[in-house]
Amino acid sequence: MLCEIQDYQARNILLRFLLLQMSWDVILSQLHYTISEGSIHGTFVGRIAQDLGLDIGEINSRMLHIVSVNDKEYFQVNLQNGILFVKETIDREVLCPDTPFCIIPLQVIVDKPVQMYRVDVEIEDVNDNSPYFSSSMTNLEISELRPTGSRFLLEGAVDPDLGTNSITSYELSANDYFALDFQKYMNQIRSLELVLKKSLDREIQSVHNLILTAYDGGKPRLSGTTQIVINVEDVNDNAPSFSQPFYQCSVDENAIEGSLVFTLNATDPDQGKNGDLSYEFGKQVKEEVSRVFSLNKQTGEIRLKSKLDYETVKMYEIQVDAIDNGEHPMVGHCKVLVSVTDVNDNPPEITVTSLSVPVSEDSPQGTTVAIISVRDRDSGSNGKVHCFISEPAPFTINPAFMGDFSLIVTGPLDRETKDMYEITISARDEGSPFLSTSKTIKVEISDVNDNAPHFQQAMDTIFIKENNAPGSQVYTASASDMDIGQNSFITYSLSGNVIDGIPVSSYISVNPENGNIFALVSFDHEKITHFQCHIKATDAGLVPRSSNLSLNIFIEDINDNAPIFSQFFSTMTVRAPKTIQPGFLVTKVSAFDLDSGYNALMSYNFKDFSLKTPFIISQQTGDISIKRLFTESDNDEYRLTVVAQDHGEPAMTAITQVTISLVESEEEIKFDNPESKSNTDDFSITNIYLVIAICIIASIFLITLIAFTVLRWQKYRDEISDLKENYKICSNTGGSWMYSQHTQYKVCSSAVQGKNDLIVFTPNSSQTPGNENIGNQQGFILNKPKHPNPDWRYSASLKAAMQGAVHMEGAAVLRGAAVGLEPQWPTVSSATTDPEGGEVSPPVGAGVNCNSWTFKYGPGNQKQPVPVPQIPPDFPENFIIPGSPAIISIRQDQPSAQAQKSNFITFGKKEETKKKKKKKKGKNQEKANNNTNDNNDQ
């Protein structure tokens, strides 16, 4: 009973292990397809591109391909529609003979960028094999003394199919003596026995012919038969027996030859030679088992005969028979299941399934470079593999799927620093001790245009001698680029500079291929001394890069200009008195040279110099002076030839002639001395430009001032015209107050004037010169404040004028600030005794449509403030223009701030005021007459 329980547990453990391994393979794959075995070429498997989420239009350009773990390629992908189909017919029994689940793992790889997918194709078993027996006939010898229930082991049939398609049952032809019994282990029939149901009687029937049929579970069900011939013998009646029909043991795959695997022990109740047992391999033992194991016939020991390999065979099934030595030997049967224990005896195997090289140096981090498959034939922890890079590099290994790794970029790449990486990839399992292996791959780094051309120095200076030959090479610009190929091909060009309005390309040119710089013109140091240009070096990358070289070009002076005497020194005539002393400066010569530097340095000498000549010349300054006293033997005139020579190579000269006449006294040469003329001319030359500049500036200033004055005067006249048009109020050609000559008056004031009112009346009579003078005095600045005399009276002419129409165009009122002209109607002041207030009557002679208005002075009226003018101390309180009835009435309020704020003028129609004026007309006339008499007296 205990043996049966152990056997059941062992079978459950093995079954769970197989199921777990199957489910693990399914989980680790991305796609899982199932097809039946025997599928012909072209059988549809699955839409692999669609299932993997790949664009069908890209799978051809991205070079999708399948890598199979097996040697044969059973599947192929149609790159037009992304369908996976069968390429070669698959026989599951050949591909997976000992595996319950037949799965073909595939690696689907696409490039650009590199991606990898894991696809498993499961091959379903079909019932394409019938059960068959190794022999068509089996002979058995059974003693008639065998008791009922005796068992006789039969050789079972074989079916290459698996699962329900394999053998599921046996049938024995109908008979009265024998029955069939079979036992299943892990859903498979492991033991087939013939059981004796009824005692045999050789005398009744000595031979029994039976038919054994094996059936599988497929649809349709297939079968196979064999014939069993049983001969009944009268022999030994007890067969050897084992303690259990199955035994289990394990052995390490690295066990040495001769190691003990298992020891069998069978028993036989017979005595003597019928009880002596021997052990032999059963007839169904495969040749491989007899090659690996040996069986001791006397002891029953099973020993290792050759090396084991777990990766080849994981379990061995050994059938052992125990035979006694009776006259009619009897046999006992058992099976030994030997499990091979895996040890870490296989190092990992590295395979590079995809390598995308060269790698661009601007590849971002995470770019996949290679797909690496690592396999370890061991199992368990011995088959778990870790992959890594042995040496530091800007790459790393990341796990992708089970046993697959990707080599990706993890750091910046720079081809100019390192253009090739030899990456050593190491794989190590988790066994104890661990095993490892290595593989080196070369990753080439491709160039991108990430470096601009580089000059050795950003600025350089060259010197070109003037008068150079046009087209001569003057310089070579050389730049280098750390890139390679097209990215390092450099072209040179000139950047745009302008020299005195002329492009620099008119002076020099650059060869775009080698950077040679040529002078296009013959330079003249006297016209241009130096200039700067920029040489641009540009590479030929897809995104071109460039750098600049600033080139300072200096034109070297050569002695190509001879000295020149100025026009004042071309021919000179000088008079000198004979009485002068040695050292006296007679005259001076001066020459200039257009060259510069040492080539323009002058020295002066006499040509054909004679020691008798009483003159000497300074080599540095050109001063001609007396070296000795004159004698009677000296000539009256000397013609000296002066040579001016520069210090160039070769030296160049200029010649001038100086004539010196000797006179008796200094007065003869006072006004004819060439030196004085020379000095005057020198002064004119040196100052003429200054005088011209001053004259030009003064002229511009004068023109500007005149233009400004004219514009301001024109603007003023325009403003006066606008005011005349805008302020014509109630024009009337009749009346004694209308201007006959349309005279205009203007009263000007400053911003600091007080708040006084000035009212001007103009009669209709012609103006006299006296009146004009008085009118011009209206712009007086009034300083001393005084109240108006309350005893004013109307004049006779004013009384008459009040009955007619009044037209006043040019009257203006001073308002303390420059507010322009303000038209006023002429009014008549009312007599009042109030020193702080006054009232002005309505406009005299106003027309029908004119508005009446009044002036009110003092703090009593709060409608509008009126500016107060400053009255000079000597200005009379009541002022009447001589020869005219017009009156200038001035009223000044109190100088307090409160009084000044209360001054105002009110305009508008005053109908009620007119009525009151009519009632008081009689009284006003009397007062006017009195005032007129007083004024006449004054």
Side-chain angles (χ1 to χ4, degrees), residues 5-25:
I5 294 175
Q6 293 177 351
D7 181 42
Y8 177 74
Q9 292 177 348
R11 285 183 291 176
N12 285 340
I13 293 173
L14 185 58
L15 179 61
R16 291 176 181 176
F17 173 76
L18 294 176
L19 291 176
L20 180 62
Q21 184 177 6
M22 178 191 68
S23 61
W24 183 255
D25 290 339

PDB file of all heavy atoms in Angstrom, residues 5-25:
ATOM      1  N   ILE A   5       1.193   4.479  -2.837  1.00  0.00           N
ATOM      2  CA  ILE A   5       1.079   5.910  -2.527  1.00  0.00           C
ATOM      3  C   ILE A   5       2.288   6.671  -3.038  1.00  0.00           C
ATOM      4  O   ILE A   5       2.185   7.743  -3.646  1.00  0.00           O
ATOM      5  CB  ILE A   5       0.901   6.105  -1.009  1.00  0.00           C
ATOM      6  CG1 ILE A   5      -0.450   5.509  -0.571  1.00  0.00           C
ATOM      7  CG2 ILE A   5       0.985   7.578  -0.639  1.00  0.00           C
ATOM      8  CD1 ILE A   5      -0.664   5.536   0.926  1.00  0.00           C
ATOM      9  N   GLN A   6       3.482   6.122  -2.815  1.00  0.00           N
ATOM     10  CA  GLN A   6       4.697   6.781  -3.317  1.00  0.00           C
ATOM     11  C   GLN A   6       4.700   6.861  -4.843  1.00  0.00           C
ATOM     12  O   GLN A   6       5.120   7.866  -5.431  1.00  0.00           O
ATOM     13  CB  GLN A   6       5.936   6.033  -2.821  1.00  0.00           C
ATOM     14  CG  GLN A   6       6.128   6.133  -1.308  1.00  0.00           C
ATOM     15  CD  GLN A   6       7.317   5.317  -0.850  1.00  0.00           C
ATOM     16  OE1 GLN A   6       7.885   4.553  -1.632  1.00  0.00           O
ATOM     17  NE2 GLN A   6       7.678   5.479   0.425  1.00  0.00           N
ATOM     18  N   ASP A   7       4.235   5.834  -5.464  1.00  0.00           N
ATOM     19  CA  ASP A   7       4.182   5.823  -6.921  1.00  0.00           C
ATOM     20  C   ASP A   7       3.219   6.897  -7.427  1.00  0.00           C
ATOM     21  O   ASP A   7       3.504   7.626  -8.380  1.00  0.00           O
ATOM     22  CB  ASP A   7       3.756   4.434  -7.392  1.00  0.00           C
ATOM     23  CG  ASP A   7       3.702   4.370  -8.919  1.00  0.00           C
ATOM     24  OD1 ASP A   7       4.618   4.927  -9.552  1.00  0.00           O
ATOM     25  OD2 ASP A   7       2.756   3.766  -9.464  1.00  0.00           O
ATOM     26  N   TYR A   8       2.080   7.042  -6.771  1.00  0.00           N
ATOM     27  CA  TYR A   8       1.096   8.055  -7.173  1.00  0.00           C
ATOM     28  C   TYR A   8       1.657   9.470  -6.999  1.00  0.00           C
ATOM     29  O   TYR A   8       1.498  10.355  -7.856  1.00  0.00           O
ATOM     30  CB  TYR A   8      -0.173   7.862  -6.346  1.00  0.00           C
ATOM     31  CG  TYR A   8      -1.242   8.903  -6.631  1.00  0.00           C
ATOM     32  CD1 TYR A   8      -1.987   8.853  -7.821  1.00  0.00           C
ATOM     33  CD2 TYR A   8      -1.467   9.917  -5.724  1.00  0.00           C
ATOM     34  CE1 TYR A   8      -2.942   9.823  -8.067  1.00  0.00           C
ATOM     35  CE2 TYR A   8      -2.434  10.881  -5.977  1.00  0.00           C
ATOM     36  CZ  TYR A   8      -3.182  10.823  -7.162  1.00  0.00           C
ATOM     37  OH  TYR A   8      -4.131  11.788  -7.403  1.00  0.00           O
ATOM     38  N   GLN A   9       2.345   9.697  -5.885  1.00  0.00           N
ATOM     39  CA  GLN A   9       2.933  11.025  -5.642  1.00  0.00           C
ATOM     40  C   GLN A   9       4.013  11.351  -6.672  1.00  0.00           C
ATOM     41  O   GLN A   9       4.120  12.493  -7.154  1.00  0.00           O
ATOM     42  CB  GLN A   9       3.514  11.090  -4.234  1.00  0.00           C
ATOM     43  CG  GLN A   9       2.452  11.046  -3.131  1.00  0.00           C
ATOM     44  CD  GLN A   9       3.071  11.031  -1.751  1.00  0.00           C
ATOM     45  OE1 GLN A   9       4.281  10.839  -1.630  1.00  0.00           O
ATOM     46  NE2 GLN A   9       2.228  11.195  -0.719  1.00  0.00           N
ATOM     47  N   ALA A  10       4.815  10.379  -6.979  1.00  0.00           N
ATOM     48  CA  ALA A  10       5.876  10.617  -7.970  1.00  0.00           C
ATOM     49  C   ALA A  10       5.285  10.980  -9.324  1.00  0.00           C
ATOM     50  O   ALA A  10       5.772  11.853 -10.034  1.00  0.00           O
ATOM     51  CB  ALA A  10       6.780   9.387  -8.082  1.00  0.00           C
ATOM     52  N   ARG A  11       4.206  10.282  -9.692  1.00  0.00           N
ATOM     53  CA  ARG A  11       3.581  10.580 -10.976  1.00  0.00           C
ATOM     54  C   ARG A  11       2.987  12.002 -11.001  1.00  0.00           C
ATOM     55  O   ARG A  11       3.070  12.714 -11.990  1.00  0.00           O
ATOM     56  CB  ARG A  11       2.484   9.551 -11.279  1.00  0.00           C
ATOM     57  CG  ARG A  11       3.060   8.197 -11.711  1.00  0.00           C
ATOM     58  CD  ARG A  11       1.979   7.228 -12.060  1.00  0.00           C
ATOM     59  NE  ARG A  11       1.222   6.836 -10.849  1.00  0.00           N
ATOM     60  CZ  ARG A  11       0.148   6.041 -10.874  1.00  0.00           C
ATOM     61  NH1 ARG A  11      -0.291   5.553 -12.006  1.00  0.00           N
ATOM     62  NH2 ARG A  11      -0.481   5.752  -9.747  1.00  0.00           N
ATOM     63  N   ASN A  12       2.392  12.407  -9.885  1.00  0.00           N
ATOM     64  CA  ASN A  12       1.838  13.773  -9.822  1.00  0.00           C
ATOM     65  C   ASN A  12       2.931  14.838  -9.933  1.00  0.00           C
ATOM     66  O   ASN A  12       2.777  15.882 -10.592  1.00  0.00           O
ATOM     67  CB  ASN A  12       1.073  13.979  -8.515  1.00  0.00           C
ATOM     68  CG  ASN A  12      -0.273  13.266  -8.544  1.00  0.00           C
ATOM     69  OD1 ASN A  12      -0.776  12.959  -9.632  1.00  0.00           O
ATOM     70  ND2 ASN A  12      -0.836  13.000  -7.378  1.00  0.00           N
ATOM     71  N   ILE A  13       4.067  14.619  -9.273  1.00  0.00           N
ATOM     72  CA  ILE A  13       5.168  15.607  -9.346  1.00  0.00           C
ATOM     73  C   ILE A  13       5.682  15.743 -10.769  1.00  0.00           C
ATOM     74  O   ILE A  13       5.914  16.840 -11.271  1.00  0.00           O
ATOM     75  CB  ILE A  13       6.287  15.190  -8.372  1.00  0.00           C
ATOM     76  CG1 ILE A  13       5.800  15.312  -6.926  1.00  0.00           C
ATOM     77  CG2 ILE A  13       7.536  16.044  -8.586  1.00  0.00           C
ATOM     78  CD1 ILE A  13       6.784  14.753  -5.908  1.00  0.00           C
ATOM     79  N   LEU A  14       5.868  14.636 -11.438  1.00  0.00           N
ATOM     80  CA  LEU A  14       6.372  14.683 -12.804  1.00  0.00           C
ATOM     81  C   LEU A  14       5.386  15.365 -13.742  1.00  0.00           C
ATOM     82  O   LEU A  14       5.756  16.159 -14.616  1.00  0.00           O
ATOM     83  CB  LEU A  14       6.681  13.258 -13.276  1.00  0.00           C
ATOM     84  CG  LEU A  14       7.348  13.151 -14.669  1.00  0.00           C
ATOM     85  CD1 LEU A  14       8.655  13.921 -14.696  1.00  0.00           C
ATOM     86  CD2 LEU A  14       7.563  11.685 -15.024  1.00  0.00           C
ATOM     87  N   LEU A  15       4.108  15.087 -13.538  1.00  0.00           N
ATOM     88  CA  LEU A  15       3.091  15.719 -14.378  1.00  0.00           C
ATOM     89  C   LEU A  15       3.067  17.237 -14.180  1.00  0.00           C
ATOM     90  O   LEU A  15       2.985  18.011 -15.131  1.00  0.00           O
ATOM     91  CB  LEU A  15       1.722  15.103 -14.063  1.00  0.00           C
ATOM     92  CG  LEU A  15       0.529  15.683 -14.849  1.00  0.00           C
ATOM     93  CD1 LEU A  15       0.725  15.462 -16.348  1.00  0.00           C
ATOM     94  CD2 LEU A  15      -0.774  15.037 -14.380  1.00  0.00           C
ATOM     95  N   ARG A  16       3.133  17.673 -12.946  1.00  0.00           N
ATOM     96  CA  ARG A  16       3.146  19.107 -12.668  1.00  0.00           C
ATOM     97  C   ARG A  16       4.372  19.784 -13.253  1.00  0.00           C
ATOM     98  O   ARG A  16       4.309  20.929 -13.745  1.00  0.00           O
ATOM     99  CB  ARG A  16       3.113  19.343 -11.154  1.00  0.00           C
ATOM    100  CG  ARG A  16       1.774  18.961 -10.525  1.00  0.00           C
ATOM    101  CD  ARG A  16       1.821  19.120  -9.011  1.00  0.00           C
ATOM    102  NE  ARG A  16       0.541  18.730  -8.412  1.00  0.00           N
ATOM    103  CZ  ARG A  16       0.320  18.698  -7.096  1.00  0.00           C
ATOM    104  NH1 ARG A  16       1.316  19.032  -6.255  1.00  0.00           N
ATOM    105  NH2 ARG A  16      -0.860  18.337  -6.624  1.00  0.00           N
ATOM    106  N   PHE A  17       5.511  19.115 -13.231  1.00  0.00           N
ATOM    107  CA  PHE A  17       6.733  19.692 -13.793  1.00  0.00           C
ATOM    108  C   PHE A  17       6.587  19.923 -15.293  1.00  0.00           C
ATOM    109  O   PHE A  17       6.953  20.965 -15.833  1.00  0.00           O
ATOM    110  CB  PHE A  17       7.923  18.768 -13.512  1.00  0.00           C
ATOM    111  CG  PHE A  17       9.196  19.190 -14.190  1.00  0.00           C
ATOM    112  CD1 PHE A  17       9.931  20.263 -13.701  1.00  0.00           C
ATOM    113  CD2 PHE A  17       9.644  18.537 -15.329  1.00  0.00           C
ATOM    114  CE1 PHE A  17      11.094  20.658 -14.328  1.00  0.00           C
ATOM    115  CE2 PHE A  17      10.798  18.937 -15.957  1.00  0.00           C
ATOM    116  CZ  PHE A  17      11.540  19.999 -15.452  1.00  0.00           C
ATOM    117  N   LEU A  18       6.007  18.953 -15.993  1.00  0.00           N
ATOM    118  CA  LEU A  18       5.835  19.095 -17.437  1.00  0.00           C
ATOM    119  C   LEU A  18       4.840  20.208 -17.766  1.00  0.00           C
ATOM    120  O   LEU A  18       5.040  21.008 -18.680  1.00  0.00           O
ATOM    121  CB  LEU A  18       5.375  17.767 -18.037  1.00  0.00           C
ATOM    122  CG  LEU A  18       6.399  16.626 -17.966  1.00  0.00           C
ATOM    123  CD1 LEU A  18       5.786  15.333 -18.506  1.00  0.00           C
ATOM    124  CD2 LEU A  18       7.644  16.975 -18.768  1.00  0.00           C
ATOM    125  N   LEU A  19       3.760  20.279 -17.005  1.00  0.00           N
ATOM    126  CA  LEU A  19       2.780  21.355 -17.237  1.00  0.00           C
ATOM    127  C   LEU A  19       3.372  22.733 -16.945  1.00  0.00           C
ATOM    128  O   LEU A  19       3.105  23.711 -17.645  1.00  0.00           O
ATOM    129  CB  LEU A  19       1.535  21.105 -16.377  1.00  0.00           C
ATOM    130  CG  LEU A  19       0.684  19.899 -16.774  1.00  0.00           C
ATOM    131  CD1 LEU A  19      -0.455  19.717 -15.771  1.00  0.00           C
ATOM    132  CD2 LEU A  19       0.120  20.049 -18.174  1.00  0.00           C
ATOM    133  N   LEU A  20       4.164  22.842 -15.885  1.00  0.00           N
ATOM    134  CA  LEU A  20       4.783  24.124 -15.544  1.00  0.00           C
ATOM    135  C   LEU A  20       5.761  24.587 -16.625  1.00  0.00           C
ATOM    136  O   LEU A  20       5.802  25.750 -16.995  1.00  0.00           O
ATOM    137  CB  LEU A  20       5.514  24.010 -14.201  1.00  0.00           C
ATOM    138  CG  LEU A  20       6.225  25.283 -13.711  1.00  0.00           C
ATOM    139  CD1 LEU A  20       5.203  26.404 -13.503  1.00  0.00           C
ATOM    140  CD2 LEU A  20       6.975  25.010 -12.422  1.00  0.00           C
ATOM    141  N   GLN A  21       6.527  23.650 -17.141  1.00  0.00           N
ATOM    142  CA  GLN A  21       7.468  24.016 -18.207  1.00  0.00           C
ATOM    143  C   GLN A  21       6.738  24.475 -19.461  1.00  0.00           C
ATOM    144  O   GLN A  21       7.132  25.439 -20.120  1.00  0.00           O
ATOM    145  CB  GLN A  21       8.358  22.808 -18.522  1.00  0.00           C
ATOM    146  CG  GLN A  21       9.445  23.113 -19.569  1.00  0.00           C
ATOM    147  CD  GLN A  21      10.346  21.928 -19.817  1.00  0.00           C
ATOM    148  OE1 GLN A  21      10.083  20.850 -19.282  1.00  0.00           O
ATOM    149  NE2 GLN A  21      11.374  22.120 -20.605  1.00  0.00           N
ATOM    150  N   MET A  22       5.634  23.829 -19.778  1.00  0.00           N
ATOM    151  CA  MET A  22       4.857  24.232 -20.950  1.00  0.00           C
ATOM    152  C   MET A  22       4.281  25.631 -20.768  1.00  0.00           C
ATOM    153  O   MET A  22       4.391  26.498 -21.639  1.00  0.00           O
ATOM    154  CB  MET A  22       3.730  23.223 -21.184  1.00  0.00           C
ATOM    155  CG  MET A  22       2.827  23.591 -22.379  1.00  0.00           C
ATOM    156  SD  MET A  22       1.352  22.601 -22.439  1.00  0.00           S
ATOM    157  CE  MET A  22       0.502  23.184 -20.995  1.00  0.00           C
ATOM    158  N   SER A  23       3.660  25.876 -19.602  1.00  0.00           N
ATOM    159  CA  SER A  23       3.070  27.188 -19.355  1.00  0.00           C
ATOM    160  C   SER A  23       4.139  28.284 -19.312  1.00  0.00           C
ATOM    161  O   SER A  23       3.915  29.410 -19.719  1.00  0.00           O
ATOM    162  CB  SER A  23       2.280  27.179 -18.049  1.00  0.00           C
ATOM    163  OG  SER A  23       3.143  26.881 -16.966  1.00  0.00           O
ATOM    164  N   TRP A  24       5.318  27.981 -18.802  1.00  0.00           N
ATOM    165  CA  TRP A  24       6.401  28.983 -18.743  1.00  0.00           C
ATOM    166  C   TRP A  24       6.848  29.400 -20.150  1.00  0.00           C
ATOM    167  O   TRP A  24       7.100  30.563 -20.421  1.00  0.00           O
ATOM    168  CB  TRP A  24       7.560  28.406 -17.949  1.00  0.00           C
ATOM    169  CG  TRP A  24       8.697  29.378 -17.773  1.00  0.00           C
ATOM    170  CD1 TRP A  24       9.883  29.371 -18.416  1.00  0.00           C
ATOM    171  CD2 TRP A  24       8.712  30.503 -16.903  1.00  0.00           C
ATOM    172  NE1 TRP A  24      10.645  30.417 -18.000  1.00  0.00           N
ATOM    173  CE2 TRP A  24       9.954  31.138 -17.062  1.00  0.00           C
ATOM    174  CE3 TRP A  24       7.804  31.038 -15.988  1.00  0.00           C
ATOM    175  CZ2 TRP A  24      10.312  32.265 -16.355  1.00  0.00           C
ATOM    176  CZ3 TRP A  24       8.154  32.161 -15.286  1.00  0.00           C
ATOM    177  CH2 TRP A  24       9.403  32.756 -15.466  1.00  0.00           C
ATOM    178  N   ASP A  25       6.928  28.420 -21.047  1.00  0.00           N
ATOM    179  CA  ASP A  25       7.309  28.754 -22.427  1.00  0.00           C
ATOM    180  C   ASP A  25       6.254  29.623 -23.086  1.00  0.00           C
ATOM    181  O   ASP A  25       6.560  30.541 -23.848  1.00  0.00           O
ATOM    182  CB  ASP A  25       7.518  27.465 -23.240  1.00  0.00           C
ATOM    183  CG  ASP A  25       8.765  26.718 -22.791  1.00  0.00           C
ATOM    184  OD1 ASP A  25       9.634  27.380 -22.180  1.00  0.00           O
ATOM    185  OD2 ASP A  25       8.862  25.507 -23.022  1.00  0.00           O
TER     186      ASP A  25
END
